[in-house]
Amino acid sequence: MSEEQEKPVNPEETLHTSVPVTGMYKDWFLDYASYVILERAVPAIEDGLKPVQRRILHAMKEMDDGRFNKVANIIGQSMQYHPHGDASIGDAIVNIGQKELLIETQGNWGDVRTGDRAAAARYIEARLSKFALEVVFNAQTTEWQLSYDGRKREPVTLPVKFPLLLAQGVEGIAVGLSTKILPHNFIELIEGSIEILKGNKTNVLPDFITGGLADFSEYNEGLRGGKVKLRARIEEEDSKTLLIKEIPYGTTTDSLIDSILKANDKGKIKIKKVVDNTAKDVEIAIQLAPGVSPDVTIDALYAFTDCEVSISPNACVIIKDSPVFLTVNDILEYNTKQTKSLLKRELEIRKAELLEKLLFSSLEKIFIENRIYRDIEECTTWDAVLEAIDKGLEPYKPDFYREIVQDDLIRLTEIKIKRISKFDALKADELMKRLQDELKEVNHNLRNLTDYSINYYQNLLEKYGKGRERKTEIRTFDTIQANVVAANNAKLYVNRTDGFVGYGLKKDEFVCDCSDLDDIIVIRKDGICMVSKIQEKNFMGKDILHVAVFRKGDERMVYNYIYLDGITGRAMVKRFQVLAVTRDKEYNLTKGTKGSKTLYLTANANGEAEIVTIFLTQGAKARVKVFDFDFASIEIKGRGAGGNILTRHPIRKIQLKMEGVSTLGGLNIYYDPTVGRLNTDERGKLIGNFLGEDKILVCYKSGDYELTSFELTNRYQADDVVLIEKFDPEKVLSAVYFDGASKTYYIKRFQIETTTLNKKFNFISDHKQSYLKLISTEKQPQVSAILIKGKEEEQVDFDLDMLIDIKGWKALGNKLSTYQVKEVSLIAPKKSDKKSDDAEEEAIEDESDEQLDVGTTIDLSPKKDDEEQLGLF
């Protein structure tokens, strides 16, 4: 071995020269991010397609022969243009096919409602739809580029003459960027484009293939920061069963059922069973537990399950190789202008084609009729032939729209002898006349391009709009308070002496059923009031006098309170509300002086004011040692108010003498038809002032009536409600309904005889085509009907109370008229009747006022203490 070989190796000499990679990493990362954004995730605004979708459609157009092709073959064809695996191409084809717009499908393509996947690519088939062939492709207006391997041509973008991006929607995630454009309604997009062409503003809203209900009040035109609330369509089949007929976009029947079962396991809702009956249409049956309100359960389903979901849109598109954020209305306007531009290009191309056809037809006619072809018989060279033809055309050149070039002369030499011998001048003139007429039409369309574009969209609407009506119903959703609708999945216990409250104290005193979302209010003997989140075991202070579930902002809950002031020794009395507090903060209901304590306390859910008897001690200096006090004699004030002096003498005991009645009066209940809910916030129509056992009467288009309570959790199908008002058992209902069996209108007058709540009773004929036309509780209702008498129409007014007597609610009634009734409508009550009714109502109000204690003043406005704490949790 040589010395050189035996020499030890120096590790430092073997290291390669170090190269900094910072710059490379920066460039590579930006290149990769740009590639993902432009080539995979974000669609181009011109055609609304990602590259893979564009290549699939182009491949299908190349294969198109009018017949279905195996999807496996389409994938193979697409791989000539798309440098990725077959799985991604197959998924993209299925995604396009499930949108039911560009591709006609055959076989099992899966179901977006249930989440079922499509069959394998070798089992399913597809072809381009007629709509796609008409709207998406035109080789003459397409800009082309080489495919990734340089062997094929592929479109840069397809010349789509329709807002395809908004119709299909798109979702994609790139490096540091994402896009989410929701699908919109086919018909509404076309109508929106027409409005834009007319110079009007438009506002399009999403529409989903799964149907359901949607609130777009925060949509923000699809920009970042917007939000769409989606709800399942839930129907009440009966008092024990709910049916989910449509599901929110982005969910499936399986995921929805899973969310319902999880909510039930957590105790948020109470159900017996969930059955998936989905076949052609979605139907999920939910069987309720005994004693559970269907209305409250519907709210709970929206609050705790995927029956309500929110989607945040983010409209991002590629414009000139850059991602841009636009509103959906801006995208629609861009696509509309692009369609107009493409139509113009197509017209210009067609015009050029017609001019060329006219030119050659004219040249051909001149060439044959003037026998110019004979002039070339003596020519011995090709140049001489062309020169002879050119010379023969010389007198006619000024009439042509362009200069005659050598290619035109060559085309004339290619005319066969057989064509010359059979040339028919009349047929040639007819052809030229048709070409001139079409050219005239094309020129007219170019001059009136806007009208032509509008007609184009209207034609699309007529040809392809049928069956594409809006599936998702636009609604305004009410806010559901989770703690109000949550099922009572816990029990509240209290150890008053030791001061512990919670749902884990099962050996102590039971208070009430509650939810694990509830807040608990406690008032102690030392005058401290505190609100805390319910827990398994929570220390809230010793000597607890009152514990209950706390409802924020409950103005009906009034506390009647007597306490001893530690410094002065006086007994103070007050009435107060607890509207809003900070959790776990102690609030003193007394003046906070040492030795102060609670002497008497009641919590009154409807503002009741009782009468109590005060017993003073035997040693008290007062002459009257026993006297009564009526809580109704003092005002309702804030939680921190000091109160009024009850007595300056020591009290031995306080005893209840008489239960109180509400001093707050009835509760004004309003009905908001936009959400089909009751409220006390003065939204919608005032139904009436309610107390105790008062009920609401609801009549529906189906001919059913229903009595309900005035609970704010009640739900009503707003579109189906014909009449909703406070129930008066003495009132007579006058109804006009259409009988499906006899195809005529009937009238009937009846009183409500049933008392069952939340049960519908049908008071018209039971034919499936029967429906309630109108109903009134006026004393003297009048209707106006248009009768068909022979060939003439006559308007006649009817007094319903004169036509028919009051009968039972099950009675069929009488025919409105022997003549055919074209239309019938309710006439507003006469002014005189209204005044007398108002006078009668005022008399009733005056009479009720006389029964009130005129010395009692109720102040329901928030006090300073409450105003300081509003909205703190």
Side-chain angles (χ1 to χ4, degrees), residues 116-251:
D116 294 336
R117 291 182 59 82
R122 60 186 178 275
Y123 297 127
I124 57 177
E125 298 178 328
R127 67 181 176 191
L128 291 172
S129 66
K130 292 180 180 179
F131 173 79
L133 290 171
E134 180 175 345
V135 168
V136 176
F137 303 99
N138 188 332
Q140 294 176 310
T141 57
T142 302
E143 182 182 352
W144 300 94
Q145 65 184 3
L146 291 176
S147 62
Y148 70 95
D149 61 1
R151 289 189 173 93
K152 296 278 187 177
R153 283 196 321 163
E154 66 173 355
V156 177
T157 59
L158 289 170
V160 179
K161 302 184 291 295
F162 178 79
L164 186 61
L165 175 58
L166 298 182
Q168 291 196 130
V170 69
E171 185 172 355
I173 300 175
V175 180
L177 184 71
S178 67
T179 184
K180 192 179 187 74
I181 299 175
L182 304 181
H184 293 69
N185 182 259
F186 181 92
I187 296 174
E188 292 174 5
L189 288 174
I190 292 180
E191 291 174 344
S193 293
I194 291 173
E195 289 301 311
I196 290 171
L197 290 169
K198 290 180 178 178
N200 302 325
K201 289 289 184 181
T202 188
N203 184 35
V204 292
L205 297 174
D207 185 30
F208 307 105
I209 194 171
T210 53
L213 315 175
D215 184 346
F216 299 114
S217 55
E218 299 177 59
Y219 182 45
N220 194 29
E221 299 186 79
L223 287 174
R224 286 181 296 181
K227 182 170 67 173
V228 175
K229 295 179 183 177
L230 304 176
R231 285 183 178 177
R233 188 182 296 277
I234 306 177
E235 299 177 0
E236 183 180 335
E237 185 178 47
D238 53 48
S239 60
K240 297 180 181 179
T241 308
L242 299 176
L243 296 178
I244 298 177
K245 292 287 191 177
E246 296 172 358
I247 62 175
Y249 178 73
T251 66

Side-chain angles (χ1 to χ4, degrees), residues 713-728:
T713 53
N714 292 348
R715 305 181 67 88
Y716 306 95
Q717 290 294 334
D719 297 338
D720 197 33
V721 173
V722 179
L723 172 75
I724 181 167
E725 63 178 37
K726 185 177 179 180
F727 172 59
D728 182 352

Side-chain angles (χ1 to χ4, degrees), residues 714-784:
N714 292 348
R715 305 181 67 88
Y716 306 95
Q717 290 294 334
D719 297 338
D720 197 33
V721 173
V722 179
L723 172 75
I724 181 167
E725 63 178 37
K726 185 177 179 180
F727 172 59
D728 182 352
E730 300 301 321
K731 278 190 174 182
V732 177
L733 280 76
S734 303
V736 178
Y737 72 91
F738 180 79
D739 177 48
S742 61
K743 307 297 181 185
T744 188
Y745 286 95
Y746 277 74
I747 60 172
K748 65 184 295 183
R749 304 186 75 229
F750 64 98
Q751 288 180 299
I752 302 296
E753 302 168 5
T754 59
T755 57
T756 307
L757 292 180
N758 301 318
K759 183 177 180 180
K760 293 181 179 179
F761 297 89
N762 190 272
F763 59 89
I764 66 174
S765 60
D766 57 1
H767 193 278
K768 64 180 181 180
Q769 293 181 348
S770 298
Y771 61 88
L772 179 63
K773 178 65 177 177
L774 55 88
I775 191 166
S776 173
T777 55
E778 294 289 338
K779 291 184 178 180
Q780 296 176 322
Q782 291 184 320
V783 297
S784 177

Side-chain angles (χ1 to χ4, degrees), residues 213-218 227 229-232 295-296 298-303 307-308 310 474-482 484-485 670-681 683 711-716 718:
L213 315 175
D215 184 346
F216 299 114
S217 55
E218 299 177 59
K227 182 170 67 173
K229 295 179 183 177
L230 304 176
R231 285 183 178 177
D295 290 334
V296 174
I298 290 174
D299 281 348
L301 287 170
Y302 288 143
C307 286
E308 178 176 327
S310 294
I474 300 173
R475 288 274 191 91
T476 300
F477 295 161
D478 52 318
T479 302
I480 297 175
Q481 299 293 336
V484 174
V485 300
Y670 293 79
Y671 172 69
D672 187 349
T674 59
V675 296
R677 301 296 294 267
L678 304 177
N679 67 88
T680 57
D681 304 327
R683 291 183 284 107
E711 292 288 337
L712 301 186
T713 53
N714 292 348
R715 305 181 67 88
Y716 306 95

Side-chain angles (χ1 to χ4, degrees), residues 93-106:
I93 294 174
V94 171
N95 182 267
I96 298 171
Q98 288 178 338
K99 292 176 179 177
E100 300 177 356
L101 185 61
L102 299 179
I103 296 179
E104 292 181 19
T105 60
Q106 191 165 269

